[in-house]
Amino acid sequence: TQLLEQSPQFLSIQEGENLTVYCNSSSVFSSLQWYRQEPGEGPVLLVTVVTGGEVKKLKRLTFQFGDARKDSSLHITAAQPGDTGLYLCAGAPYFGNEKLTFGTGTRLTIIP
Amino acid sequence: EAQVTQNPRYLITVTGKKLTVTCSQNMNHEYMSWYRQDPGLGLRQIYYSMNVEVTDKGDVPEGYKVSRKEKRNFPLILESPSPNQTSLYFCASSLSVGGAWPQHFGDGTRLSIL
C-alpha cells in the first residue's frame, strides 16, 4: 500500500499570512490531485498535476508536483477565512490503475 | 445540476441491524467508489466499481457489500454492522478509471453504530 503523508496535520494562521502544506511519499505517482473539504460536505477537486515539476496556479493557490513525482506542495498567498478547510492530496500510483491513495489531510484554519 | 447524492445523511443504529446507504450520480459516470473517513486515517477506499456488474475490493472491504446493477446507483450494504464501522462515509464517482479523472463526492453519511 502506498502512503501519502501530509504536513502539517493542523495549521492555524492569521488572515493575510502565507502558508505551505506538503504531501510526501516514497512512491512515484502518475498524477496527483488536491481536494478541499469543508464541514458537512464532501471533498471538492482543486487541481490535478500530472507532469514532474509542474506548477499550477488557482488564484492565490499555487500547486507544485515534485520533479520525481513523489511529492507535492500547496502554497497559499495572503490567506483568507474562505480558505479554511481540510486539504487532501490524492495520488494515482500508475496509469491504468483506478485506485487513488489519499493523504491524511491538513486542517487549515484562517483567523480573521 | 451534476451531483452525487447519498442517503441518509445521518444514521444512528444498533449492532447487527442491517442497513443500506444509497448513492446515486446523474453524470453518467462509469467509475464509482465508497470511502470511509476517520480522524487521523484520511479517506480509505472500501469498494469500487468500474462499470455495471463490475465491483472490486478496496483497502478496507471487511464487513461491507456493494452492488452495481445500474450505472447511476452504487449502494453500500452493512449486513451486520458493528461499532467499529462508526464513521463518515463518502460515495464518489468519476467519468472513467485512471487517477487523473476528478472524483466527484457526495456530501457524506455519518453513521453511528451503538
Side-chain angles (χ1 to χ4, degrees), chain B residues 11-84:
Chain B
L11 180 61
I12 301 173
T13 187
V14 296
T15 299
K17 186 176 181 181
K18 181 180 178 180
L19 67 93
T20 299
V21 184
T22 63
C23 173
S24 181
Q25 50 93 5
N26 63 359
M27 295 168 279
N28 201 36
H29 284 172
E30 288 185 352
Y31 183 74
M32 298 185 73
S33 58
W34 276 101
Y35 295 88
R36 60 179 289 173
Q37 187 174 39
D38 302 289
L41 297 177
L43 279 165
R44 293 180 292 167
Q45 192 180 57
I46 303 170
Y47 267 94
Y48 63 92
S49 169
M50 287 192 280
N51 214 321
V52 176
E53 302 292 1
V54 181
T55 63
D56 208 346
K57 297 177 180 179
D59 294 319
V60 287
E62 294 75 22
Y64 305 94
K65 286 175 59 177
V66 293
S67 68
R68 189 92 181 271
K69 296 177 181 175
E70 305 166 284
K71 197 170 187 178
R72 64 183 292 126
N73 296 322
F74 190 46
L76 178 70
I77 303 157
L78 285 71
E79 293 270 4
S80 184
S82 62
N84 64 10

Side-chain angles (χ1 to χ4, degrees), chain A residues 1 9 30-33 35 37 40-45 48 50 86 88 92 94 96-105, chain B residues 9-10 31 35 37 40-43 45 48 50 57-59 88 90 97-108:
Chain A
T1 302
Q9 189 175 357
S30 64
S31 65
L32 197 136
Q33 299 175 346
Y35 292 81
Q37 183 180 5
E41 298 181 7
V44 175
L45 181 70
T48 301
V50 296
L86 178 67
L88 297 162
Y94 47 84
N97 185 291
E98 64 289 339
K99 198 164 84 66
L100 286 174
T101 297
F102 278 86
T104 50
Chain B
R9 291 292 311 277
Y10 304 91
Y31 183 74
Y35 295 88
Q37 187 174 39
L41 297 177
L43 279 165
Q45 192 180 57
Y48 63 92
M50 287 192 280
K57 297 177 180 179
D59 294 319
L88 180 58
F90 288 100
V97 300
W101 292 103
Q103 300 284 309
H104 297 261
F105 285 86
D107 285 337

Side-chain angles (χ1 to χ4, degrees), chain A residues 31-98:
Chain A
S31 65
L32 197 136
Q33 299 175 346
W34 283 93
Y35 292 81
R36 180 168 64 210
Q37 183 180 5
E38 300 187 20
E41 298 181 7
V44 175
L45 181 70
L46 295 174
V47 77
T48 301
V49 285
V50 296
T51 306
E54 182 177 3
V55 176
K56 279 192 173 179
K57 292 192 175 183
L58 187 65
K59 296 183 180 179
R60 295 175 293 99
L61 278 62
T62 302
F63 304 84
Q64 184 162 9
F65 201 10
D67 291 339
R69 306 161 76 110
K70 294 182 179 182
D71 54 81
S72 182
S73 63
L74 159 59
H75 181 79
I76 301 179
T77 304
Q80 299 179 1
D83 296 326
T84 293
L86 178 67
Y87 288 80
L88 297 162
C89 62
Y94 47 84
F95 291 106
N97 185 291
E98 64 289 339

